[in-house]
Amino acid sequence: MTERRAMHAKDAYDEWHRCHDTGNGPWYSMVSAFIDARGLVQGKRVLEAGCGSGDYARELGARGARSVIGEDFSPVAIAQANDRPNADNVSFAVGDIQQIAHQTASFDLVISCETIEHVPNPRLAIAELARVLTPGGWLVLTSPNYLSIFGLHRAYRQLAGRGWDEGGQPIANWTMLPRSVKWVNDARLRIEALDGVLFVVPVRGRPGGLQLNPSPRVHRWVRFFAQHVMIAARKPSV
């Protein structure tokens, strides 16, 4: 970003964080289930990029991480995070996911939930997330998947001139699973798992639409078309 665009985006996200709570979302449960099943947090150095007000970073610290650093582009979000009680192993700082201010191979686990779609260059952001991973370290990434009913609805609204702003977000890129997979592969990470959460059908007169709950057996096949997807990838050891 140019300096002017960066300042505009920062101001816009400061205002957004003043009006929104970033502590909730079904993607956090999906990420937690994955990292808990593999014991990826205990004793590890963890970075959460795009931490918002820091609720999930604090949760990771309470699960036994050696250290957790939560970073967000918005100073308002980081001020909110620092205003709440934090354990000794959890800290917060303003940071740009497209230019992470940490040395290469600084973290064993990097988590970024619903962030790459809100930056000018998602591919660069993923490359930076991969850079700061230690060899053998894990990246767990979630983002909206516009290869879904959700995406078709957004396309329809835009073609109809009704607009779409993804909850007032200043930047809302068209992320979708195939593109995100390519960006992760381009960063030379090895994808180990894919998952998805939330299946919603827009229904007139029903705010939030109709949420479908496929059985585990069906979920296995339709997860690639979920409204939000998770990519878990590992940096090669050599």
Side-chain angles (χ1 to χ4, degrees):
M1 285 187 294
T2 65
E3 185 174 348
R4 180 175 294 181
R5 287 183 65 200
M7 289 303 298
H8 175 74
K10 192 180 294 289
D11 290 344
Y13 273 107
D14 279 346
E15 184 59 33
W16 190 87
H17 279 286
R18 289 188 184 99
C19 303
H20 294 81
D21 180 8
T22 57
N24 298 313
W27 43 85
Y28 289 118
S29 297
M30 180 169 55
V31 170
S32 292
F34 179 82
I35 62 178
D36 287 350
R38 289 157 181 79
L40 300 183
V41 176
Q42 186 73 32
K44 304 299 185 182
R45 296 167 296 174
V46 182
L47 171 68
E48 188 192 1
C51 67
S53 55
D55 289 347
Y56 194 59
R58 280 184 286 272
E59 183 179 329
L60 294 168
R63 293 184 183 198
R66 174 181 168 186
S67 64
V68 180
I69 297 177
E71 293 193 350
D72 199 281
F73 189 55
S74 166
V76 168
I78 295 303
Q80 292 171 347
N82 283 319
D83 281 345
R84 301 176 185 182
N86 293 310
D88 291 341
N89 63 338
V90 179
S91 62
F92 297 97
V94 175
D96 186 346
I97 193 174
Q98 298 176 118
Q99 192 173 4
I100 299 174
H102 293 281
Q103 294 182 351
T104 298
S106 294
F107 300 97
D108 307 302
L109 172 64
V110 173
I111 294 173
S112 183
C113 294
E114 308 302 297
T115 298
I116 63 166
E117 68 275 16
H118 301 308
V119 301
N121 192 333
R123 180 177 181 175
L124 175 60
I126 292 174
E128 277 290 276
L129 297 175
R131 179 185 65 80
V132 299
L133 272 177
T134 57
W138 286 84
L139 169 65
V140 183
L141 177 77
T142 79
S143 63
N145 177 32
Y146 285 106
L147 188 67
S148 61
I149 297 174
F150 172 63
L152 291 174
H153 182 58
R154 174 175 176 174
Y156 161 75
R157 287 185 63 92
Q158 292 197 325
L159 289 172
R162 298 170 64 184
W164 180 277
D165 64 5
E166 200 173 301
Q169 290 277 3
I171 300 172
N173 294 315
W174 285 76
T175 52
M176 57 186 68
L177 183 58
R179 295 184 75 193
S180 299
V181 164
K182 184 179 187 307
W183 292 330
V184 171
N185 285 331
D186 288 347
R188 298 185 179 181
L189 300 180
R190 184 176 63 247
I191 295 175
E192 300 283 357
L194 299 170
D195 205 350
V197 67
L198 206 60
F199 302 86
V200 177
V201 178
V203 176
R204 185 183 296 274
R206 183 167 182 165
L210 175 64
Q211 184 169 332
L212 307 179
N213 295 293
S215 68
R217 191 173 187 178
V218 173
H219 176 88
R220 179 183 177 186
W221 297 104
V222 301
R223 57 189 166 146
F224 307 113
F225 304 100
Q227 185 166 319
H228 301 273
V229 289
M230 179 192 78
I231 300 174
R234 199 169 189 182
K235 191 170 188 175
S237 297
V238 292

